[in-house]
């Protein structure tokens, strides 16, 4: 039990205590005061005007080991809670709070019941009586290391939301930002206050479902064992930006509840887009280099050079495109200067199946030209002797199918890349790589890879012409 002196002394913090109620349910009775004092997280004791201990709660008993029955009624701390040598100074500093304005903060070394010493930080303030004059004082204290831990926690929290070099967002139980630091606000492309309370779907264009799923999991199950990398789309004045955020999540629970009550999720993230893109590009380069090496080894085992050309095509297609076509210039090679009025004609010599996966097949034995319209990317590629990229853009599905049909490509095509076939200083034809709607448009690095493949295909077709000029080269 705690908290107050028994009959014959005063239970309040000053004299002239009102007469107690005998009704145990009276909210103004001593039971309520005892419950309040014992429920405090801080240790608390109180003194009357003569320096006699009038109150002593359970936290004070926990820290020092002295029970309320042993503490209440003693005058000051001398001889039991402080050393005799320190008692005078401690009493003077404590009692000075009765005649000071506001709270006084001190640090003392107090004695525990078993003889140990505990450094505590105290906050003392006067308690006025009915006449307004000091009638006593209260003293709340805690172990210094606990106070320092609390201050460090507060300092860490403030630093995270002011100076952190990574994004910090507190998300409430409704998955809406409640607190956002400056770094996170910049990453989201808006101000700190503009973010608060808004659904994540209003802040991000992509990755919302994945992020909300992670937050929901943390609320239900707790923090994941490792950071997660989430790709998101961020709205900016310049348009949408795709970013990769390496994210860590912490479930926040109230320390005041007997059982954990989720307050939300702490979300910390760093932008690792450049690093991830570098990793992806390096991985892609290794894969493509390995494919070229494997294709060269496999093609070297082909007796027919034309078959070797299809081997290079099949190896290049993996992870790169959905379909591929090889067209030869009718007559074998394009002249350096085409006569005026003479149209350029291309003959299909190899193609991948358009209806499903499968190896490339040699075609074009009849030598019939492909009906490419004027300005077709393949014709442009041969005319320029350089790579050409084309795409359906943002056209609707029906318009994209018509776009592909006109160009003699499979109807699911929306992106194309044509690379010229050159060998021994001559333009032999063009290889065309095609992608469907599920893939990204061809980029400059893709054109470089396609040109490497084209060099190998051209060499194989040129060798086929030399070994069998009227054979399977398709020219």
């Amino acid at each position: 039990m705690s908290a107050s002196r028994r009959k014959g002394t005063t239970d309040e913090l000053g004299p002239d205590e009102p007469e107690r109620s005998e009704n145990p349910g009276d909210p103004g009775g001593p039971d309520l005061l005892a419950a309040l004092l014992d429920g405090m997280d801080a240790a608390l004791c109180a003194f009357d005007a003569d320096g006699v201990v009038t109150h002593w709660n359970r936290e004070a008993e926990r820290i020092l080991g002295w029970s309320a029955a042993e503490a209440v009624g003693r005058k000051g701390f001398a001889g039991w809670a402080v050393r005799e040598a320190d008692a005078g100074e401690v009493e003077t500093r404590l009692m000075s709070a009765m005649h000071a304005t506001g709270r006084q903060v001190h640090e003392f070394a107090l004695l525990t019941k078993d003889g140990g010493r505990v450094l505590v930080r105290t906050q003392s303030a006067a308690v006025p009586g009915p006449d307004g004059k000091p009638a006593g004082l209260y003293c709340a204290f805690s172990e210094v290391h606990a106070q320092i831990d609390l201050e460090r926690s507060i300092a860490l929290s403030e630093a995270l939301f002011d100076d952190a070099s990574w994004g910090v967002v507190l998300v409430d139980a409704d998955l809406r930002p409640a607190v956002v630091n400056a770094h996170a606000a910049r990453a989201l492309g808006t101000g700190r206050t503009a973010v608060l309370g808004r659904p994540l779907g209003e802040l991000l264009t992509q990755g919302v479902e994945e992020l909300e799923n992670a937050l929901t999991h943390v609320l239900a199950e707790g923090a994941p064992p490792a950071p997660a990398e989430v790709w998101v789309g961020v709205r900016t004045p310049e348009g949408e930006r795709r970013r990769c955020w390496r994210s860590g999540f912490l479930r926040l629970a109230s320390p005041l509840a007997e059982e954990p009550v989720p307050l939300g999720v702490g979300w910390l993230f760093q932008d690792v887009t450049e690093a991830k893109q570098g990793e992806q590009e390096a991985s892609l380069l290794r894969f493509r280099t390995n494919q070229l090496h494997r294709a060269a080894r496999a093609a070297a085992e082909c007796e027919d050079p034309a078959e070797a050309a299809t081997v290079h095509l099949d190896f290049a297609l993996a992870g790169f495109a959905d379909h591929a076509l090889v067209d030869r210039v009718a007559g074998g090679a394009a002249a350096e200067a085409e006569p005026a009025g003479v149209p350029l004609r291309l003959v299909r010599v190899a193609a991948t199946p358009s209806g499903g996966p499968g190896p490339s097949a040699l075609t074009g034995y009849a030598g019939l030209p492909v009906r490419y319209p004027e300005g077709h990317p393949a014709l442009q590629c041969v005319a320029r002797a350089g790579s050409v990229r084309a795409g359906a853009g943002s056209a609707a599905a029906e318009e994209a199918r018509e776009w592909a049909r006109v160009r003699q490509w499979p109807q699911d095509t929306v992106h194309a890349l044509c690379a010229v076939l050159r060998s021994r200083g001559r333009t032999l034809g063009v290889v065309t790589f095609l992608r469907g709607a599920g893939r990204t448009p061809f980029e400059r690095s893709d054109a470089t890879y396609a040109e490497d493949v084209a060099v190998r295909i051209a060499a194989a077709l040129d060798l086929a012409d030399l070994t069998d000029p009227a054979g399977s080269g398709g020219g």
Side-chain angles (χ1 to χ4, degrees):
M1 285 296 294
S2 80
S4 60
R5 295 168 58 184
R6 299 307 173 195
K7 291 186 178 180
T9 61
T10 173
D11 282 347
E12 289 291 331
L13 299 185
D16 301 323
E17 177 190 55
E19 184 176 348
R20 294 182 182 182
S21 169
E22 296 299 327
N23 182 2
D26 183 358
D31 292 341
L32 175 61
L33 178 60
L36 290 174
L37 294 178
D38 283 341
M40 294 178 62
D41 291 330
L44 184 135
C45 63
F47 302 86
D48 62 17
D50 297 325
V52 176
V53 177
T54 60
H55 293 77
W56 190 265
N57 73 349
R58 289 188 185 275
E59 185 65 10
E61 179 179 347
R62 186 193 68 79
I63 293 176
L64 297 180
W66 301 97
S67 67
E70 295 170 311
V72 173
R74 292 179 181 264
K75 182 174 175 59
F77 286 150
W80 64 287
V82 296
R83 297 189 308 173
E84 290 289 351
D86 300 330
E89 180 187 359
V90 170
E91 184 176 351
T92 300
R93 293 168 67 183
L94 271 178
M95 301 306 289
S96 65
M98 280 202 298
H99 306 287
T101 302
R103 293 180 297 174
Q104 301 292 304
V105 178
H106 302 288
E107 289 186 2
F108 303 126
L110 299 183
L111 294 178
T112 62
K113 186 176 181 180
D114 58 9
R117 300 183 72 196
V118 177
L119 184 63
V120 300
R121 179 172 297 175
T122 66
Q123 296 187 43
S124 306
V127 177
D131 57 359
K133 295 180 180 181
L137 64 92
Y138 74 86
C139 173
F141 61 91
S142 60
E143 297 173 82
V144 166
H145 71 81
Q147 183 70 20
I148 291 175
D149 287 345
L150 175 61
E151 292 177 2
R152 283 173 179 159
S153 298
I154 296 173
L156 174 61
S157 176
E158 292 180 350
L160 286 174
F161 286 102
D162 289 333
D163 306 322
S165 58
W166 56 87
V168 181
V169 181
L170 297 189
V171 182
D172 64 21
D174 294 326
L175 307 186
R176 300 188 181 214
V179 186
V180 178
N181 76 342
H183 187 99
R186 288 193 299 270
L188 291 167
T190 185
R192 294 181 65 176
T193 57
V195 178
L196 305 183
R198 295 174 59 185
L200 294 174
E202 294 183 7
L203 304 172
L204 303 173
T205 58
Q206 297 180 22
V208 176
E209 292 183 359
E210 183 179 359
L211 185 56
E212 289 184 341
N213 180 64
L215 295 171
T216 302
H217 173 81
V218 173
L219 280 172
E221 305 292 337
E229 291 174 351
V230 183
W231 283 92
V232 299
V234 183
R235 292 187 178 92
T236 67
E238 296 78 24
E240 180 182 325
R241 290 189 306 161
R242 193 163 181 262
R243 313 301 295 171
C244 180
W245 290 343
R246 181 170 292 152
S247 303
F249 303 95
L250 298 169
R251 180 166 62 178
L252 305 179
S254 173
L256 303 180
E258 292 185 6
E259 296 183 0
V261 176
L263 297 178
V265 177
W267 171 30
L268 293 81
F269 66 88
Q270 279 186 314
D271 193 320
V272 293
T273 307
E274 285 71 21
K276 290 299 295 182
Q277 288 176 341
E279 292 175 6
Q280 291 174 351
E281 290 171 2
S283 176
L284 182 61
L285 180 60
R286 287 193 300 270
F287 174 76
R288 289 179 175 177
T289 301
N290 188 48
Q291 287 295 96
L292 291 174
H293 174 73
R294 294 175 60 198
R297 290 177 61 89
E301 302 300 322
C302 296
E303 295 182 4
D304 182 1
E307 182 184 353
T310 63
V311 167
H312 283 292
L313 194 65
D314 289 335
F315 273 94
L317 205 64
F320 182 66
D322 298 316
H323 306 290
L325 314 168
V326 177
D327 300 323
R328 285 290 305 271
V329 174
E336 293 298 327
E338 289 287 349
V342 178
L344 178 66
R345 296 184 303 162
L346 297 176
V347 177
R348 179 70 44 79
V349 297
T352 55
S354 60
S360 304
L362 291 169
T363 61
Y365 296 104
L368 299 176
V370 185
R371 294 183 299 106
Y372 283 151
E374 184 178 354
H376 191 281
L379 300 177
Q380 295 181 35
C381 178
V382 173
R384 298 175 185 176
S387 299
V388 174
R389 286 179 286 173
S394 57
E398 188 60 36
E399 295 176 354
R401 283 192 290 270
E402 178 64 17
W403 176 86
R405 186 193 65 78
V406 169
R407 288 159 180 78
Q408 306 297 313
W409 292 333
Q411 65 177 1
D412 59 343
T413 299
V414 294
H415 309 297
L417 172 60
C418 299
V420 67
L421 301 176
R422 285 186 63 83
S423 178
R424 294 188 295 146
R426 301 176 305 148
T427 298
L428 304 184
V430 58
V431 56
T432 303
F433 295 99
L434 306 172
R435 289 178 177 176
R439 293 180 179 265
T440 59
F442 289 101
E443 299 177 352
R444 187 175 299 275
S445 60
D446 297 323
T448 301
Y449 178 61
E451 290 165 0
D452 287 342
V453 176
V455 168
R456 290 161 169 77
I457 294 176
L461 293 179
D462 197 15
L463 181 59
D465 288 345
L466 293 175
T467 56
D468 183 13
S472 61

